[in-house]
Amino acid sequence: MSKKEPKKKPGLPKFGISWIYLSIFVGLLALQFFSNNYSGQTLDSNFSDLKEKISKGHVSLVEIVNKNHVLVYLDMDTLASNEDYKEISKTTFGDSPNPGPHYQFTAGDNFEEKIWRFYDENPDVKTQFGEVNVQHKTKTNYWTEVLSWIVPFALIAFFWFFMMRRMGGGSGGGPGSQIFNIGKSKAQMFDADAEVRITFQNVAGMEGAKDEVLEVVDFLKNPKKYTNLGGKIPKGVLLSGPPGTGKTLLAKAVAGEAKVPFFSLSGSDFVEMFVGVGASRVRDLFKQAKEKSPSIIFIDEIDAIGRARGKSNINGGNDERENTLNQLLTEMDGFGTNEHVIVMGATNRADILDRALMRAGRFDRVVYVDLPEFKERKEIFDVHLKPLKHSKTLDVQFLARQTPGFSGADIANVCNEAALVAARKNKKKVEKQDFLDAVDRIIGGMEKKSKIITPEEKKVIAYHEAGHATVSWLLEHASPLVKVTIVPRGRSLGAAWYLPEERQLNSTNQLLDEMCAAMGGRAAEEVVFKEITTGALSDLEKVTKQAKAIVSIYGLNKEIGNVTYYDSTGQSEYQFDKPYSEKTAQIIDQEISKIIESQYNRAKKLINENIDKLHLLAEDLLKKEVIFKENLEAIFGKRKWLTSEEKIQASLNAESKKKVIPQKKKSPSKPNGDKES
């Protein structure tokens, strides 16, 4: 185990330019404060109060500042002896006498004339105390002038500094940032010092994909191992597969395992409203990767820039994306050297990528990350069950069997939803039923017990779902039934849930049986009620797609023959015309309708033959609202056919019995003189 680094003690805050700004601001405030209070307190007054103090002989000086402001100075002896002036007799700091000014007010018009008029009206005051010394002064407030010059420039400088920080991609980032660095790459880099918690231990299943990705990491760690024989390191690895299968997780695990710089970004990070930005970012990305080689570049959702060129380009409207793609093609395999830089891409639309991007020398390897099978689902459940407080008796294999077709993300969601279900029930541990409820909620949605359904509608729903269950139970290749419910969930009023068999191949009979089971609900409605409802919309959508696939994709129809109109490149969506003639289109439509109607009639026949059992099943469903496989076995008996899983298990058991080691027979002893020639 590696030694843990000692925790850094919290020290003093780092010195920055902000501290200088703060110090200047505090200094200005202090200077202003002391300049105003050093000489002592100055009280507000008025002309009437001044006349009263002049009449008493308390005023020694009157200053008229800038012809507007009047400052009154009292006689120092009077100030020290008179208790009325005790408040202003001392300075603010210390016990020294206050030199003044002691009072202040704003002078009106002709202020000096008012004083002389006062003396004319009161000659006794003039005789007793004499005239007050009146002086005119002009003062300039240098601080105001300085600030009037400094403040505008300071505001302009601050605005300029702020804008430069934002445009230069300062710590704030966000909209409007990085104007000057707009052509720079937005890739996030992980190196040996970066703390990436995801490793290959967190990646369950995907053994083949993991091996290929691990090989990529080994290429960069030990390049001489492969180049000594004259080989070249692959330049690109494309991770392709359905959503949620773990493509991005694999890339994160590579970032956690690789001891080389790992540049991660999304395909949309290249796209900008400015012309040439995408190509510039591609150049900058590869420049950084080459400087730190050996390194890995990971582009998630690469189809954002790697879509095939020249298809949806109307009047040059997509030139910017194409320029970005062209630059990517050049960087991956152009005249420039690109040694020890491997590009990893991830997409769920590999069929629409440009052919030039997919050729050898660019993306040399395409790793298909498929949906997990039974064993892989079990491993994924083991990973996601670790943080959960679940029951020790929980059967992980059972959970894996109940989730066919689930991706890794779906399984993670099931585990999380099961924990939430258990928490709502105030349980201390997550149990088996919580997982089943979670699967039901994810597939069908939340139960809507408050939904008002009339008894007539409820009866129709019960017979509809019972029809599905009956037909699927009587057909060999239909998916095994798990449960039937008439409790509304999500957008459905009822549901019959099956456990799809994980087949690698599908025959015509298997597809037709599935279609027949899907039409069982509407068939039961017509047989029992002599009319049909709109409740079979999802069933019709399913069978129509299947019938269309039989006729136009898989080549399983006799009239059309061994012909397919499927385009694996994904470019057919950009074509305005159909890949077949109008006559062929009519034949396709006729054959689709014929297949659906034949399976509908087949379903009605099965319903009529087992009408009594259908009634029993529907009545049981109306009483219980939810019935399971055991209820169908009680009415119909056990199914005649084994499931694919049961067939595989039976073959494994048969092979294990055959592998009995036979005992070696002892060879007859020979005379000592005899030798074998």
Side-chain angles (χ1 to χ4, degrees):
M1 291 183 66
S2 61
K3 294 182 180 179
K4 292 185 179 180
E5 296 182 0
K7 293 183 179 180
K8 295 181 180 179
K9 295 182 179 180
L12 296 173
K14 293 182 179 180
F15 181 81
I17 195 168
S18 309
W19 289 100
I20 298 176
Y21 297 151
L22 183 62
S23 302
I24 293 172
F25 180 72
V26 172
L28 291 173
L29 287 179
L31 184 63
Q32 184 72 16
F33 179 81
F34 284 111
S35 63
N36 290 337
N37 295 284
Y38 184 76
S39 60
Q41 190 174 9
T42 302
L43 301 179
D44 293 330
S45 184
N46 51 49
F47 184 68
S48 300
D49 187 49
L50 175 62
K51 290 191 293 183
E52 184 180 349
K53 288 179 172 57
I54 292 174
S55 302
K56 295 178 180 179
H58 294 171
V59 180
S60 63
L61 175 64
V62 175
E63 285 185 350
I64 304 174
V65 181
N66 299 334
K67 299 180 180 181
N68 185 37
H69 198 64
V70 178
L71 300 177
V72 180
Y73 293 82
L74 299 180
D75 182 70
M76 298 304 294
D77 295 334
T78 304
L79 187 68
S81 59
N82 198 324
E83 292 292 329
D84 294 338
Y85 305 121
K86 186 177 180 180
E87 185 180 358
I88 58 174
S89 62
K90 303 293 183 181
T91 58
T92 305
F93 299 99
D95 294 331
S96 57
N98 184 5
H102 303 105
Y103 293 94
Q104 63 179 357
F105 60 90
T106 302
D109 297 333
N110 303 320
F111 174 74
E112 194 171 358
E113 292 180 4
K114 291 179 181 179
I115 293 179
W116 305 136
R117 195 181 302 120
F118 169 74
Y119 279 120
D120 293 339
E121 294 173 357
N122 300 278
D124 298 338
V125 175
K126 185 176 180 181
T127 305
Q128 186 176 357
F129 303 108
E131 292 183 356
V132 174
N133 185 14
V134 179
Q135 297 181 0
H136 289 271
K137 282 190 176 182
T138 302
K139 289 185 178 180
T140 304
N141 191 343
Y142 295 101
W143 278 107
T144 304
E145 292 189 5
V146 169
L147 290 176
S148 65
W149 282 92
I150 290 177
V151 170
F153 283 105
L155 290 174
I156 293 171
F158 175 76
F159 178 76
W160 182 257
F161 176 76
F162 177 76
M163 289 300 297
M164 290 300 103
R165 286 282 302 270
R166 298 288 291 178
M167 290 188 295
S171 59
S177 68
Q178 299 184 357
I179 294 178
F180 291 114
N181 293 332
I182 195 167
K184 301 293 183 182
S185 171
K186 294 183 177 182
Q188 186 179 3
M189 192 189 77
F190 303 91
D191 52 17
D193 299 328
E195 294 183 0
V196 182
R197 298 179 180 178
I198 296 176
T199 63
F200 281 107
Q201 294 180 355
N202 305 108
V203 181
M206 302 182 289
E207 295 300 330
K210 277 197 296 186
D211 292 341
E212 293 212 43
V213 172
L214 276 170
E215 197 175 53
V216 171
V217 178
D218 194 44
F219 282 152
L220 298 175
K221 287 183 176 180
N222 307 302
K224 291 183 179 180
K225 176 182 174 183
Y226 302 93
T227 57
N228 284 340
L229 299 175
K232 294 182 180 179
I233 296 175
K235 293 187 178 180
V237 178
L238 182 66
L239 303 175
S240 175
T245 51
K247 300 182 294 295
T248 307
L249 183 66
L250 270 178
K252 290 180 179 178
V254 172
E257 292 284 345
K259 301 300 180 183
V260 297
F262 185 93
F263 297 87
S264 174
L265 76 167
S266 173
S268 60
D269 290 336
F270 296 102
V271 182
E272 221 36 94
M273 66 178 289
F274 304 105
V275 177
V277 170
S280 176
R281 287 178 177 173
V282 171
R283 285 192 294 270
D284 186 68
L285 172 63
F286 278 85
K287 180 184 176 183
Q288 294 180 34
K290 290 173 186 177
E291 290 174 352
K292 296 185 179 289
S293 66
S295 58
I296 298 174
I297 296 174
F298 174 66
I299 305 175
D300 200 8
E301 306 296 341
I302 197 172
D303 53 279
I305 58 170
R307 188 184 293 266
R309 294 165 292 176
K311 297 296 182 182
S312 59
N313 190 358
I314 302 174
N315 297 326
N318 222 9
D319 281 346
E320 174 59 18
R321 183 189 59 76
E322 291 192 2
N323 289 338
T324 306
L325 175 59
N326 292 337
Q327 187 64 44
L328 179 63
L329 297 175
T330 304
E331 293 289 345
M332 288 189 70
D333 189 21
F335 279 101
T337 58
N338 194 20
E339 294 182 356
H340 305 304
V341 176
I342 292 180
V343 181
M344 291 181 63
T347 180
N348 52 20
R349 298 291 308 278
D351 55 325
I352 66 171
L353 294 180
D354 196 274
R355 292 182 181 178
L357 190 64
M358 298 294 294
R359 75 159 175 83
R362 291 195 174 109
F363 279 115
D364 302 281
R365 299 189 175 189
V366 179
V367 181
Y368 191 74
V369 186
D370 204 353
L371 292 171
E373 296 183 357
F374 170 73
K375 183 182 177 183
E376 294 173 328
R377 291 198 301 272
K378 182 179 176 298
E379 293 175 0
I380 296 171
F381 265 111
D382 288 333
V383 170
H384 292 294
L385 286 174
K386 285 181 181 178
L388 297 184
K389 295 181 180 178
H390 59 84
S391 176
K392 294 181 179 179
T393 59
L394 185 66
D395 188 1
V396 182
Q397 290 188 356
F398 172 78
L399 297 179
R401 290 193 193 96
Q402 297 300 310
T403 51
F406 277 48
S407 65
D410 294 331
I411 293 173
N413 191 24
V414 167
C415 294
N416 183 62
E417 191 65 39
L420 298 179
V421 170
R424 281 193 290 270
K425 296 178 181 178
N426 298 320
K427 293 183 178 180
K428 294 183 179 180
K429 291 183 179 180
V430 188
E431 299 174 350
K432 173 183 174 182
Q433 188 59 43
D434 300 323
F435 283 94
L436 294 176
D437 293 342
V439 172
D440 293 347
R441 183 168 183 179
I442 291 171
I443 295 175
M446 196 173 180
E447 289 187 1
K448 295 182 178 180
K449 296 182 179 179
S450 60
K451 200 163 191 173
I452 300 173
I453 301 174
T454 62
E456 291 80 11
E457 288 177 335
K458 194 173 184 180
K459 188 176 181 181
V460 173
I461 296 168
Y463 272 94
H464 183 100
E465 302 304 333
H468 283 304
T470 300
V471 176
S472 65
W473 193 264
L474 298 172
L475 294 176
E476 180 180 358
H477 303 295
S479 300
L481 189 77
V482 176
K483 74 174 183 179
V484 186
T485 178
I486 57 173
V487 178
R489 282 183 179 270
R491 297 175 62 183
S492 63
L493 299 175
W497 291 343
Y498 306 92
L499 198 62
E501 295 187 1
E502 296 180 81
R503 305 189 188 110
Q504 304 300 323
L505 297 171
N506 284 298
S507 66
T508 307
N509 289 330
Q510 289 170 343
L511 294 173
L512 293 176
D513 281 0
E514 290 179 3
M515 292 176 63
C516 185
M519 298 300 292
R522 171 162 282 194
E525 290 180 17
E526 186 174 348
V527 170
V528 176
F529 302 103
K530 308 301 180 185
E531 63 178 0
I532 55 178
T533 65
T534 59
L537 176 60
S538 60
D539 303 328
L540 294 175
E541 183 183 5
K542 178 184 176 181
V543 297
T544 303
K545 288 181 179 179
Q546 286 180 319
K548 188 176 181 181
I550 290 173
V551 176
S552 61
I553 295 177
Y554 297 124
L556 300 176
N557 184 258
K558 292 181 180 180
E559 292 293 329
I560 299 297
N562 299 319
V563 178
T564 181
Y565 301 104
Y566 175 70
D567 186 7
S568 61
T569 62
Q571 304 303 323
S572 59
E573 59 184 279
Y574 304 118
Q575 298 177 1
F576 295 101
D577 57 337
K578 296 178 180 178
Y580 41 79
S581 64
E582 290 296 328
K583 184 179 179 181
T584 305
Q586 291 179 359
I587 297 172
I588 290 173
D589 292 340
Q590 291 172 3
E591 291 301 312
I592 291 173
S593 180
K594 190 185 296 183
I595 292 172
I596 295 173
E597 288 302 317
S598 66
Q599 296 308 311
Y600 182 59
N601 294 327
R602 183 186 175 193
K604 286 196 295 184
K605 183 181 178 183
L606 288 171
I607 293 291
N608 283 315
E609 291 174 354
N610 299 271
I611 189 67
D612 296 336
K613 296 177 181 179
L614 176 70
H615 287 308
L616 292 173
L617 186 61
E619 290 172 3
D620 199 17
L621 191 56
L622 284 168
K623 291 178 184 177
K624 300 177 181 178
E625 291 190 339
V626 180
I627 59 175
F628 299 91
K629 177 183 176 182
E630 292 77 12
N631 300 98
L632 270 78
E633 287 182 349
I635 297 173
F636 293 93
K638 289 191 176 184
R639 291 188 76 190
K640 302 176 183 178
W641 311 279
L642 297 176
T643 62
S644 58
E645 186 180 343
E646 291 171 344
K647 291 177 183 177
I648 293 170
Q649 191 64 41
S651 63
L652 291 174
N653 294 334
E655 288 180 7
S656 62
K657 290 179 181 179
K658 289 179 182 178
K659 291 181 180 179
V660 179
I661 302 172
Q663 294 182 354
K664 293 183 178 180
K665 295 181 180 180
K666 293 182 180 181
S667 57
S669 58
K670 296 181 180 179
N672 294 333
D674 291 346
K675 291 184 179 179
E676 242 181 320
S677 59

